[in-house]
Amino acid sequence: MSADILDGRALARTIRAKIAAETAALVARTGQMPGLSVVLVEGDPASQVYVKNKEAAAREVGMAGAVVRLPGDVAQAALLAVIDQLNGDPAVHGILVQLPLPGHLDERAVIERIAPGKDVDGFHPENLGLLAQGFPRFTPCTPLGIRALLIASGVSTRGCRAVVLGRSRIVGLPMALLLMQKGEGGDATVTVCHTATPDPRSIAREADLLIVAVGRPEHVTAGWVKPGAVVVDVGIHRGEGGKLKGDVDFADVAPVASWITPVPGGVGPMTIAMLLENTLKAARLARGEPTDS
Ligand code: GUN
């Protein structure tokens, strides 16, 4: 057996084309472009690349993408003032503060300062609370992209045993909440493993769907995977010679799994596609228009 590929790159391309068409229709109808502002506090080299990609993706679908770059030693009050200014700008529909922030900044206070109606990352407590209660407004982009990829590939999660490795607020926690929702792409029985879980490998081996977000290169090998399981790899790491690797040892796991995401070309492009979807939704919500979900 060798796994089929969950092709996030191809699906993201299709979704971006649909968003571009919907954005053009919105602009034609209202004269206003959806606007996404990404705030980057300089310091993390990987974040520089991610932020540039997000801005470019927004512009490619006809949105007004902008990056606000702040020096690595920016004061908390100055960062909050930038967020206040974006909150009050009617041309900005989506605000994203790239994480991680340097250690001197209070990440929680920064996220809570973003207007919940512009929080296209879905990290504000109001949005996470809505998701937890089963009334999602903005859902974090990586879990949302994983769900879209599973649905589009015909992988049913209903009644399945899902194991999420990692409890981060960006991925693991909202992924678990999403898999527990009623309806398509949800209805799973979910277990979350984290740094205090004894023997996560034996728990992972029970999973029909294994979501790996541990932040360690090629940590998950074939011995962690039940034969026929669906494996989703959220990690991205640069190895020797610049080669990208995930949290999953792809060559080892692919012969055991039924479906697997590649790195690159799996979860990453879907995350950006969902950011655009959330931004379009934010622009519609700002006008009081109905949205799909
Ligand atoms: N850092 C890594 N992933 C993300 C993300 O989805 N959003 C933000 N804001 N920062 C990140």
Side-chain angles (χ1 to χ4, degrees):
M1 179 171 38
S2 191
D4 286 322
I5 298 294
L6 289 161
D7 188 345
R9 184 174 286 142
L11 179 60
R13 195 179 302 127
T14 305
I15 293 171
R16 288 199 309 270
K18 179 168 169 272
I19 292 172
E22 290 180 19
T23 299
L26 183 75
V27 173
R29 191 157 48 78
T30 68
Q32 195 178 30
M33 263 185 167
L36 172 67
S37 284
V38 181
V39 179
L40 174 67
V41 180
E42 311 265 8
D44 179 37
S47 290
Q48 298 269 3
V49 179
Y50 298 148
V51 157
K52 219 182 263 174
N53 290 344
K54 289 171 185 178
E55 179 189 34
R59 290 185 177 181
E60 274 168 31
V61 296
M63 296 181 183
V67 178
V68 180
R69 286 172 206 278
L70 300 170
D73 62 354
V74 67
Q76 175 86 6
L79 174 54
L80 294 180
V82 167
I83 294 171
D84 288 344
Q85 186 259 321
L86 296 172
N87 283 343
D89 184 342
V92 174
H93 303 98
I95 302 169
L96 179 155
V97 178
Q98 187 66 24
L99 303 177
L101 292 172
H104 71 281
L105 295 169
D106 179 351
E107 187 176 299
R108 179 176 170 191
V110 168
I111 288 170
E112 290 187 7
R113 192 71 160 236
I114 298 170
K118 296 191 177 189
D119 169 39
V120 286
D121 253 334
F123 297 161
H124 189 284
E126 186 174 313
N127 288 315
L128 266 184
L130 286 168
L131 175 62
Q133 290 182 316
F135 310 111
R137 177 172 53 192
F138 295 118
T139 299
C141 303
T142 298
L144 195 59
I146 292 169
R147 186 181 68 165
L149 187 53
L150 294 173
I151 292 173
S153 306
V155 174
S156 172
T157 53
R158 184 176 167 79
C160 88
R161 176 82 195 268
V163 173
V164 180
L165 301 180
R167 59 177 158 183
S168 72
R169 271 176 299 142
I170 295 181
V171 183
L173 173 67
M175 186 77 249
L177 292 173
L178 207 48
L179 286 166
M180 285 162 55
Q181 303 277 306
K182 286 187 178 165
E184 195 180 25
D187 287 331
T189 304
V190 184
T191 302
V192 180
C193 297
H194 46 72
T195 45
T197 304
D199 196 10
R201 185 174 177 274
S202 65
I203 297 171
R205 270 190 76 84
E206 292 173 12
D208 306 306
L209 170 61
L210 182 62
I211 311 278
V212 187
V214 293
R216 290 196 222 160
E218 298 184 336
H219 184 66
V220 167
T221 53
W224 291 62
V225 177
K226 179 166 94 174
V230 176
V231 179
V232 175
D233 187 351
V234 178
I236 186 151
H237 313 272
R238 202 167 282 282
E240 301 120 43
K243 191 172 179 299
L244 293 175
K245 298 173 176 188
D247 289 352
V248 174
D249 183 336
F250 184 90
D252 201 43
V253 169
V256 180
S258 60
W259 289 89
I260 190 167
T261 56
V263 176
V267 172
M270 290 302 297
T271 297
I272 295 197
M274 294 301 108
L275 175 63
L276 302 174
E277 210 160 87
N278 277 350
T279 304
L280 183 58
K281 183 173 181 174
R284 287 181 171 146
L285 287 173
R287 300 186 58 80
E289 293 182 6
T291 60
D292 293 345
S293 56

